[in-house]
């Protein structure tokens, strides 16, 4: 369970947009999942509070990923916690969502409080919604 507050007036729920210097308010979900549409809005607002982590294996990552996401394969995430800032809002995704579930469990067990799994269907659902990816 996440400890993120649902109060939109809370400082922890405000995202500063780099593009227009106004404060974009977003209420982070209280559950385990964050809708793909919300992730897209957060990505396009160029916020700095969200850390988008692709936990796919190398092969799937190279097929396509969301721009500016950090690549940490799910099976080595536990050994790379130093790359995941616990003060940021962490959104995990993979190709279909299965590895994200394991990555979520890893971060919660390590004491992370603001962690979500991206939507239903992972990157495949992101692509199906028409959102952009980049490939290596």
């Amino acid at each position: 369970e996440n400890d993120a507050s649902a109060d939109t007036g809370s400082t922890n729920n405000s995202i500063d947009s780099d593009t227009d210097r106004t404060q974009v308010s977003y209420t982070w979900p209280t559950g385990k999942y964050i809708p793909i549409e919300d992730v897209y809005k957060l990505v396009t607002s160029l916020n700095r509070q969200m850390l988008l982590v692709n936990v796919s294996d190398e092969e799937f990552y190279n097929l396509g990923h969301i721009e500016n996401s950090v690549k940490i394969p799910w099976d080595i995430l536990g050994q790379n916690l130093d790359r995941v800032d616990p003060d940021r809002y962490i959104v995990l995704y993979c190709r279909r969502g299965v590895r994200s579930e394991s990555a979520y469990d890893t971060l919660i067990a390590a004491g992370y409080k603001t962690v979500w799994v991206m939507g239903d269907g992972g990157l495949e659902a992101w692509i199906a919604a028409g959102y952009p990816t980049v490939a290596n």
Side-chain angles (χ1 to χ4, degrees), residues 20-71:
D20 63 7
R21 292 295 199 203
T22 61
Q23 201 167 54
V24 177
S25 183
Y26 178 72
T27 302
W28 290 86
T30 55
K32 182 177 184 177
Y33 301 96
I34 181 171
I36 289 173
E37 299 79 18
D38 289 5
V39 175
Y40 177 72
K41 290 173 189 171
L42 292 165
V43 166
T44 57
S45 72
L46 300 176
N47 73 81
R48 293 180 178 238
Q49 288 184 307
M50 180 179 68
L51 177 62
L52 192 56
V53 182
N54 184 319
V55 296
S56 298
D57 294 333
E58 187 85 20
E59 175 186 355
F60 286 115
Y61 180 84
N62 290 336
L63 291 175
H65 54 275
I66 300 169
E67 192 170 18
N68 297 321
S69 58
V70 175
K71 176 185 70 168

Side-chain angles (χ1 to χ4, degrees), residues 78-115:
Q79 294 83 43
N80 286 275
L81 295 177
D82 59 321
R83 295 180 57 202
V84 183
D85 183 350
D87 295 328
R88 293 178 71 184
Y89 295 91
I90 302 158
V91 176
L92 305 166
Y93 77 95
C94 61
R95 195 83 192 158
R96 292 191 191 105
V98 176
R99 290 175 177 90
S100 299
E101 297 284 338
S102 294
Y104 176 89
D105 293 341
T106 297
L107 292 180
I108 294 300
Y112 286 74
K113 303 291 185 203
T114 51
V115 182

